[in-house]
């Protein structure tokens, strides 16, 4: 999975939840551009007696994907209107322009911004995630400049906008509420 992420060859992911009576309750699309190394958790190798002994799998940590990367197709048993799904998918596709080697940083900063839980925020708000981002990217010794850089990348992609120096707003499009 890590090789696929680094080679930018990860497919889109569909996550299906169904009821005990086999009705689809939720169907979510995770666009391929939202896969980064930080959402992959390595599993223990299969035991020596397993048919594929030594094979190492992974878990996809869906909870660490920014809400932008979780596009509902069916929600609580109701089909989401096609125009909304297409609008949300189109809005995030520009992330594919960011090379996979740095996309992890972009996605981690976007996830931090989304975890703030509000549409307007300051640079100091995002700096509160500095230690977490440092832990996720231990080879980078300049975390604050990297945060600022990634906020600019997210602005250039149309996902954020600068409102005043040091202040930002998440851009929403069309039927998404903005």
């Amino acid at each position: 999975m890590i090789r696929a992420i680094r080679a930018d060859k990860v497919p889109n992911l569909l996550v299906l939840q169904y009821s005990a009576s086999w009705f689809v309750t939720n169907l979510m699309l995770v666009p391929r551009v939202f896969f980064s190394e930080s959402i992959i958790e390595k599993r223990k190798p299969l035991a020596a007696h397993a048919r594929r002994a030594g094979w190492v799998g992974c878990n996809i940590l869906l909870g660490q994907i920014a809400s932008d990367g979780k596009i509902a197709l069916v929600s609580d048993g109701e089909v989401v209107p096609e125009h909304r799904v297409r609008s949300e998918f189109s809005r995030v596709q520009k992330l594919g322009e960011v090379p996979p080697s740095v996309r992890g940083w972009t996605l981690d900063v976007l996830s931090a911004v989304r975890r703030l839980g509000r549409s307007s925020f300051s640079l100091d708000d995002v700096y509160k995630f500095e230690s977490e981002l440092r832990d996720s990217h231990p080879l980078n010794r300049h975390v604050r400049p990297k945060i600022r850089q990634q906020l600019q990348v997210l602005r250039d992609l149309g996902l954020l906008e600068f409102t005043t120096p040091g202040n930002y707003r998440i851009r929403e499009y069309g039927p998404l509420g903005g």
Side-chain angles (χ1 to χ4, degrees):
M1 181 58 101
I2 296 296
R3 278 193 307 269
I5 289 170
R6 289 176 180 166
D8 205 16
K9 297 201 181 283
V10 178
N12 295 325
L13 174 68
L14 289 171
V15 181
L16 174 68
Q17 181 184 23
Y18 53 90
S19 68
S21 55
W22 296 95
F23 288 104
V24 174
T25 54
N26 294 295
L27 179 60
M28 176 178 67
L29 167 67
V30 179
R32 58 184 294 285
V33 297
F34 280 89
F35 281 84
S36 67
E37 293 181 38
S38 64
I39 68 157
I40 302 301
E41 178 182 68
K42 183 178 179 180
R43 294 175 52 182
K44 293 189 300 187
L46 293 179
H49 63 277
R51 186 170 20 135
R52 295 186 303 166
W55 181 81
V56 178
C58 66
N59 295 318
I60 299 169
L61 305 174
L62 294 175
Q64 292 187 17
I65 298 173
S67 59
D68 305 69
K70 299 173 186 174
I71 301 172
L73 304 171
V74 176
S75 181
D76 295 327
E78 299 292 323
V79 175
V80 176
E82 181 181 342
H83 70 277
R84 181 172 179 164
V85 172
R86 287 184 181 277
S87 176
E88 289 187 41
F89 188 80
S90 294
R91 187 171 77 81
V92 298
Q93 279 307 283
K94 284 193 160 253
L95 282 166
E97 297 172 8
V98 178
S101 60
V102 293
R103 192 180 302 148
W105 261 106
T106 308
L107 295 172
D108 290 346
V109 170
L110 177 60
S111 180
V113 165
R114 283 297 190 178
R115 287 178 15 227
L116 291 170
R118 53 189 190 272
S119 60
S120 295
F121 60 95
S122 71
L123 184 57
D124 288 335
D125 293 329
V126 183
Y127 282 163
K128 292 176 185 170
F129 295 94
E130 181 178 4
S131 63
E132 178 183 320
L133 291 166
R134 181 179 294 111
D135 291 345
S136 295
H137 303 276
L139 298 178
N140 190 308
R141 298 185 188 273
H142 307 284
V143 175
R144 284 185 175 217
K146 192 67 170 183
I147 290 170
R148 291 191 302 272
Q149 177 196 50
Q150 294 309 306
L151 290 170
Q152 290 174 359
V153 168
L154 291 167
R155 177 207 57 202
D156 294 347
L157 294 173
L159 297 171
L160 298 180
E161 57 186 321
F162 292 139
T163 55
T164 59
N167 292 291
Y168 308 83
R169 185 172 64 228
I170 296 171
R171 291 188 67 191
E172 305 284 357
Y173 289 99
L176 299 175

